[in-house]
Amino acid sequence: LAVYFATANKRGYNVPFGLGQYADFKDPTTYMIYAQQGGLGLPDREYYLKDDEKSQALREQYVAHIEAMFALAGLPDGAAAAQTIMALELRMAKEHMRKEDTRDMVALYKKIPLTELGDLMPKFNWDGYLAEAGLQNLDGLVVMMRDHMRALDEIIVDTDLGTWKTYLKWCVLNATAGLLSE
C-alpha cells in the first residue's frame, strides 16, 4: 500500500498524504520535500464535519457523484463503493488540520531525518515508499501536519485492503475523468 501511495503521488492522484517539492521555507535558495495531508475528495475537513443542511446536502451529492462515476467507468456496485469511500474520507477528515491552522508555516515546518520517519508512523513502510518515490537519499523531509500523519498510521492499518482498493479506484477516477472525451 505504501509503495502504491508513492506511485499514485507521482501520477498526481489524491492519496492520504502527498509529497511535493517547493522552495525551502527556511532557505529559499534551496528546495525541500514537504509531506502534507491529503486524501479528501471534498475541499477540506469542514465539508465532512459541518452539520448544517447545506453541508449535508453537499455530502449527499458527493456520494451520488461517486456512485455515478463508478457506473460510468463500468465498475460494479457504485452505491456501496460510494458509501465506503465517504466513510474512509470522513475518518481521514476528522484527523485533518483545520484550514486556518495550515497557514502558520513557521509552526508547520518540521524537518525530520528519514531515519526518524518511523517514529512518526511506525507501521508505515517508509523504505518502500521512499524507494518508489526516488527519495531514499534525502537527509530528511518536512512533515507539515504531524498529528494527521500519526493518526493516518492507525487509519492505514485499521482499514481493510478491500476498502483501500475501492478508495484508490476512486482517486484514479476522480483525477483522470477530466482527461476523457465525452
Side-chain angles (χ1 to χ4, degrees):
L1 194 59
V3 172
Y4 181 77
F5 283 174
T7 298
N9 186 70
K10 287 191 296 188
R11 292 180 178 165
Y13 306 156
N14 186 22
V15 288
F17 74 93
L19 291 184
Q21 178 181 352
Y22 308 102
D24 189 328
F25 297 159
K26 292 194 175 187
D27 180 6
T29 64
T30 63
Y31 290 95
M32 180 59 62
I33 301 295
Y34 294 87
Q36 60 187 356
Q37 65 192 15
L40 304 182
L42 294 173
D44 63 54
R45 73 188 299 271
E46 277 58 349
Y47 282 79
Y48 295 85
L49 303 178
K50 281 183 162 181
D51 208 27
D52 60 278
E53 195 173 302
K54 182 178 178 183
S55 297
Q56 289 176 9
L58 186 70
R59 286 191 296 272
E60 289 171 10
Q61 292 168 356
Y62 178 57
V63 168
H65 171 68
I66 295 170
E67 181 179 349
M69 292 295 287
F70 266 68
L72 288 170
L75 296 170
D77 208 1
Q83 293 301 323
T84 296
I85 292 160
M86 186 60 167
L88 180 56
E89 288 187 12
L90 174 61
R91 185 169 180 207
M92 288 189 288
K94 289 177 181 177
E95 303 301 337
H96 267 231
M97 183 179 278
R98 295 176 325 143
K99 66 181 170 184
E100 52 271 20
D101 295 331
T102 66
R103 297 180 183 132
D104 185 351
M105 294 303 167
V106 173
L108 294 177
Y109 191 100
K110 173 70 173 162
K111 186 174 180 183
I112 299 177
L114 297 187
T115 57
E116 294 178 18
L117 289 172
D119 296 339
L120 182 67
M121 293 176 70
K123 298 171 186 164
F124 190 73
N125 178 6
W126 281 109
D127 290 338
Y129 182 91
L130 293 168
E132 178 64 20
L135 299 173
Q136 65 272 31
N137 295 322
L138 294 176
D139 63 341
L141 55 92
V142 173
V143 179
M144 298 176 69
M145 290 86 181
R146 292 170 300 284
D147 290 342
H148 169 262
M149 297 294 275
R150 282 185 198 95
L152 185 58
D153 197 41
E154 290 300 322
I155 292 171
I156 290 169
V157 172
D158 291 347
T159 303
D160 67 89
L161 188 57
T163 296
W164 281 115
K165 287 179 179 181
T166 300
Y167 165 80
L168 292 167
K169 283 178 190 172
W170 167 240
C171 293
V172 172
L173 282 174
N174 199 29
T176 59
L179 303 174
L180 299 173
S181 65
E182 284 187 40

